Amino acid sequence: MANKIFVDACLGKETPYTPVWMMRQAGRYLPEYMKVRAEAGNFLNLCHDPKKACEVTLQPMDIVGVDAAILFSDILVIPDEMGMDLSFVKGEGPKFSDPITCEADIDRLIGGDEAASKLTYVFDTIKLIKQELAEDKALIGFTGAPWTLATYMIEGQGTKTYNICKKMMYSNPALLHKILAKVTEVIKLYMEKQIDAGIDVVQIFDSWAAAIEPSMYDEFSWKYMVEICDHLKAKYPNTPIIMFPKGIPTFLDKVYGNFDVFGVDWATPMELAKEKLGEKYVLQGNMEPCRLYSQEETTKSVDDIQKVMGTSRHIFNLGHGILPDVPVANAIHFVSECQRISKK
Ligand code: CP3
């Protein structure tokens, strides 16, 4: 069987060059994606259709040349299958019509294996991708962190202030913990099933980590993410796990847990991440995604990151998702520059 350079890099093994992928690499900057989404009718239909979801997962492999595919789905399919009513309103992002406000709302949610088992379209998508993906490329499966999922479940949509979740955090923390614990149980089983279906690597996105003040971050988010890692590592010790908590440079000193790769966001200097975490974890990241608007700035940034990280214990990525108006040629340039500059 061919070696997967991306999996090797996650495990800290030597690789011929530093592998690269991009968060949100399957998406609106690709005309080919827009075509398949239009055929599907809307974004959620696309997530529910294994054949089409497989097709858009594979698009960036051929078009952009990345070293790993990331499953095409969304973090919010979990609360959707727990019984909440998810929709994507054009131009406004995700919406739940029935946000959680009290204990009875949590009790009504479907939990555990019953919820995880409803995500069959995700597992079917994974199986299709694995049939088509080149043997030397890896497939990344993912979940949102319990906290990031809870922000949508409580606010009912994206938020700038997080005031409804934070009101709960400070005035009724037990209720927030009850939501987080219920979501954590579903995630553990959901990720087990993703691994059983064939994913090679797990990434946990805590996109809204920075909303929590540093002294409370462990209690309301990180410890639940670590609980998921412990659960998965007990059963699947060889499946690498990537943690991506966005925007928490002040927490770097306190990072702990049984995982393999720490995803560095664009606002955290790579030097700092390397100093604090580079010995214990492989680091992933962290070009500022807007550098992609300029090929010259992209090359400069890739070169700078490579100088800090050298050619081992690193995976190239953006420091957050690629934006829809980035020219495809510039994404291709980023990927080929990472592979060229890090070649041994
Ligand atoms: O290529 C990939 O990275 C895989 C697919 C993927 C999507 N969402 C597809 C998507 C992944 C890994 C996600 C994760 C996700 N979803 C996160 C965490 C990652 C991050 O960026 O921090 C979050 C917070 C969400 C929730 C979500 N989904 C929002 C806020 C939105 C609307 C914002 C937007 O970009 O439009 C989505 C929709 C979404 N998820 C799209 C895609 C391709 C856009 C839908 C479309 O119009 O086609």
Side-chain angles (χ1 to χ4, degrees), residues 161-179:
T161 57
Y162 303 87
N163 53 310
I164 310 174
C165 326
K166 289 197 191 181
K167 189 171 171 188
M168 194 183 287
M169 182 182 284
Y170 295 111
S171 62
N172 192 354
L175 193 64
L176 180 52
H177 278 302
K178 186 166 174 168
I179 299 171

Side-chain angles (χ1 to χ4, degrees), residues 24-210:
R24 292 290 182 96
Q25 67 189 18
R28 286 169 297 188
Y29 72 104
L30 290 174
E32 292 85 349
Y33 167 82
M34 295 310 286
K35 187 165 167 274
V36 180
R37 196 188 69 172
E39 284 163 16
N42 64 46
F43 171 67
L44 263 186
N45 286 350
L46 182 50
C47 293
H48 292 159
D49 181 335
K51 216 162 157 266
K52 287 192 166 63
C54 169
E55 186 180 348
V56 296
T57 299
L58 296 174
Q59 283 173 349
M61 311 307 295
D62 299 333
I63 301 168
V64 191
V66 284
D67 293 293
I70 179 161
L71 164 71
F72 188 84
S73 183
D74 197 81
I75 59 168
L76 298 177
V77 296
I78 295 175
D80 191 37
E81 296 304 347
M82 291 175 77
M84 295 187 72
D85 172 39
L86 173 65
S87 60
F88 281 83
V89 181
K90 222 176 169 176
E92 289 176 51
K95 285 226 171 7
F96 288 108
S97 64
D98 47 1
I100 295 171
T101 59
C102 61
E103 197 155 355
D105 289 341
I106 306 171
D107 292 338
R108 265 197 299 275
L109 291 179
I110 301 164
D113 195 56
E114 194 185 344
S117 297
K118 291 175 73 188
L119 288 144
T120 45
Y121 49 90
V122 174
F123 315 130
D124 291 343
T125 302
I126 292 170
K127 288 175 201 155
L128 276 185
I129 297 166
K130 287 295 284 190
Q131 283 170 22
E132 306 214 355
L133 188 66
E135 234 186 87
D136 61 342
K137 307 283 180 182
L139 176 61
I140 304 165
F142 67 89
T143 175
W147 160 254
T148 288
L149 293 181
T151 65
Y152 289 98
M153 296 165 77
I154 296 165
E155 302 269 346
Q157 58 192 17
T159 167
K160 285 202 167 72
T161 57
Y162 303 87
N163 53 310
I164 310 174
C165 326
K166 289 197 191 181
K167 189 171 171 188
M168 194 183 287
M169 182 182 284
Y170 295 111
S171 62
N172 192 354
L175 193 64
L176 180 52
H177 278 302
K178 186 166 174 168
I179 299 171
L180 293 167
K182 191 156 185 171
V183 173
T184 298
E185 288 314 307
V186 177
I187 291 174
K188 285 178 189 169
L189 300 167
Y190 176 49
M191 296 318 294
E192 276 191 36
K193 290 176 197 292
Q194 285 196 25
I195 296 170
D196 289 342
I199 61 159
D200 301 297
V201 175
V202 170
Q203 174 152 322
I204 306 180
F205 285 93
D206 198 8
S207 304
W208 311 134

Side-chain angles (χ1 to χ4, degrees), residues 145-343:
W147 160 254
T148 288
L149 293 181
T151 65
Y152 289 98
M153 296 165 77
I154 296 165
E155 302 269 346
Q157 58 192 17
T159 167
K160 285 202 167 72
T161 57
Y162 303 87
N163 53 310
I164 310 174
C165 326
K166 289 197 191 181
K167 189 171 171 188
M168 194 183 287
M169 182 182 284
Y170 295 111
S171 62
N172 192 354
L175 193 64
L176 180 52
H177 278 302
K178 186 166 174 168
I179 299 171
L180 293 167
K182 191 156 185 171
V183 173
T184 298
E185 288 314 307
V186 177
I187 291 174
K188 285 178 189 169
L189 300 167
Y190 176 49
M191 296 318 294
E192 276 191 36
K193 290 176 197 292
Q194 285 196 25
I195 296 170
D196 289 342
I199 61 159
D200 301 297
V201 175
V202 170
Q203 174 152 322
I204 306 180
F205 285 93
D206 198 8
S207 304
W208 311 134
I212 305 179
E213 63 173 306
S215 65
M216 310 280 267
Y217 182 65
D218 187 44
E219 182 185 347
F220 286 97
S221 188
W222 190 256
K223 78 165 191 209
Y224 288 100
M225 294 166 72
V226 170
E227 191 182 319
I228 294 163
C229 293
D230 286 341
H231 179 85
L232 295 177
K233 283 290 184 188
K235 198 162 169 192
Y236 308 93
N238 301 324
T239 302
I241 303 177
I242 307 169
M243 296 282 237
F244 180 67
K246 183 170 176 288
I248 53 151
T250 54
F251 189 74
L252 295 185
D253 277 321
K254 299 189 190 120
V255 162
Y256 66 95
N258 188 6
F259 61 93
D260 304 274
V261 183
F262 185 86
V264 183
D265 68 89
W266 62 267
T268 302
M270 213 62 186
E271 290 87 342
L272 183 71
K274 189 179 180 191
E275 180 200 320
K276 305 277 186 200
L277 300 171
E279 273 179 35
K280 199 160 173 209
Y281 303 107
V282 171
L283 299 180
Q284 174 175 281
N286 78 337
M287 189 173 87
E288 146 65 285
C290 292
R291 292 237 187 198
L292 283 175
Y293 292 119
S294 156
Q295 293 199 4
E296 207 184 326
E297 287 298 322
T298 293
T299 296
K300 215 155 79 191
S301 180
V302 170
D303 208 38
D304 286 345
I305 293 168
Q306 204 270 329
K307 283 202 178 88
V308 174
M309 291 310 301
T311 51
S312 62
R313 300 183 64 73
H314 178 222
I315 292 159
F316 275 112
N317 202 322
L318 307 173
H320 201 195
I322 183 171
L323 293 166
D325 61 344
V326 166
V328 178
N330 292 12
I332 295 170
H333 176 80
F334 168 66
V335 168
S336 60
E337 285 296 77
C338 291
Q339 292 163 342
R340 178 184 68 82
I341 288 172
S342 65
K343 200 170 167 83

